[in-house]
Amino acid sequence: MSNARANHLTRRGIIAAGGALGLGAVLAACGDDDSTSGGSKSTESAAAKSGPWTFKDDRGTTVKLDKIPANIVAFTGVAAALYDYGVQVKGVFGPTKTTDGKADVQAGDMDITKVEVIGNVWDEFNVEKYAALAPDVLISTTFDNAGTLWYVPEASKDKIAKLAPSVAVSVYDRQITAPLERMWELAESLGADMAAAAEAKKRFETAATRLRAAAKAKPEIKVMAGSASDQLFYVSGTNLSIDLEYFKALGVNFVEPPESAKAEGGGWYESLSWENVDKYQADIIMMDDRSSTIQPADIAKPTWKQLPAVKAGQVIPRSPEPILSYDKCVPLLENLADALEKAKKVA
């Protein structure tokens, strides 16, 4: 998560705010406050279409409902992952539509005309629209140990919590394989036929083997994960990010800003002025593909154009918030493997 979005996360904090919303809704979940997070599968099988539903999320909270939830509202990226597994949600929040009305990159293959968009940008969440959907459950990711629900506004989170229970999938300080497994378990509990997804899982494993081999063959190739805004360039460290931690474990040689330099970015990244964008030498640059950032083709800064990797055409996209289905994560591995296989030492 290497851009200004992480600044928002830092500013959010974990302090509860706001009062109850008088919409007559009752919280339908049971939180067990178990400190052991993750690792617990739903007790329901994929074939189950009715009956009680139980899922223990990565906060250690167990959600119990009388039946498998039908009215699901989810963060856009989560909804996109569930869509890949055949689970349709009713409403979404988070980057869903671009300014020209097209599907945001984080929406994946989801048909955005068939979901209610209750928030499209940071700090936007229409509580009235959410209530009107009569949600059974809200599902999002979390980027911290506190279990803060991503893209659920701090000011209205208590009101939102009273309308339906929530499920959180952690994407904090772990390799991508962990949240991929958790999303698989969640989709299966929601009635998805996982046999259809097994082939994508095999392709992911094959792609991981290829990336490991590519990294081993070219250990001298240095890779930098970057993100661009008008005023600053962000260099992400591998620590905390699910994709970069995994790539590093496979042997990819990354630029690593010192911890002291990442302090302002909450430990995620270092902020550089465009005048200092050449602080680190890299042979390949992976650039944040989210719509909230400036894309490489639109960067006009002279210092950017002079970077060796840019001049050599060795710039590839990166998804700091991957859609957590195996189908969508295969290209992340394949694109980096391909770049390493073709890369020349230019830094």
Side-chain angles (χ1 to χ4, degrees), residues 9 31 36 47 63 110 121 126 132 134 159 194 248 260 272 311-312 316 331:
L9 180 60
T36 304
V63 176
M110 186 171 51
V121 297
N126 190 312
K159 302 173 185 178
M194 306 314 292
K248 183 179 180 180
S260 58
L272 299 175
K311 294 172 72 173
I316 64 172

Side-chain angles (χ1 to χ4, degrees), residues 46 93 103 112 135 173 185 187 193 195 201 231 238 240 264 274 316 332-333 344-345:
F93 55 95
I112 62 173
D173 196 17
E185 294 166 7
D193 180 4
K201 190 172 184 179
Q231 299 297 322
T238 57
L240 305 182
E264 184 180 349
W274 283 102
I316 64 172
L332 309 184
L333 299 171
K344 295 180 180 179
K345 185 68 181 174

Side-chain angles (χ1 to χ4, degrees), residues 267-330:
W268 292 86
Y269 60 85
E270 177 182 2
S271 304
L272 299 175
S273 67
W274 283 102
E275 290 75 15
N276 295 316
V277 74
D278 60 352
K279 177 177 179 179
Y280 299 106
Q281 297 299 305
D283 303 293
I284 296 173
I285 302 177
M286 302 176 68
M287 288 296 290
D288 190 336
D289 68 355
R290 291 174 292 183
S291 57
S292 58
T293 69
I294 301 176
Q295 297 305 299
D298 300 319
I299 300 175
K301 308 290 186 181
T303 49
W304 163 260
K305 295 182 178 181
Q306 290 304 310
L307 292 177
V310 176
K311 294 172 72 173
Q314 295 180 170
V315 178
I316 64 172
R318 175 200 169 206
S319 299
E321 293 182 60
I323 294 172
L324 295 171
S325 70
Y326 286 100
D327 180 70
K328 290 298 182 294
C329 288
V330 168

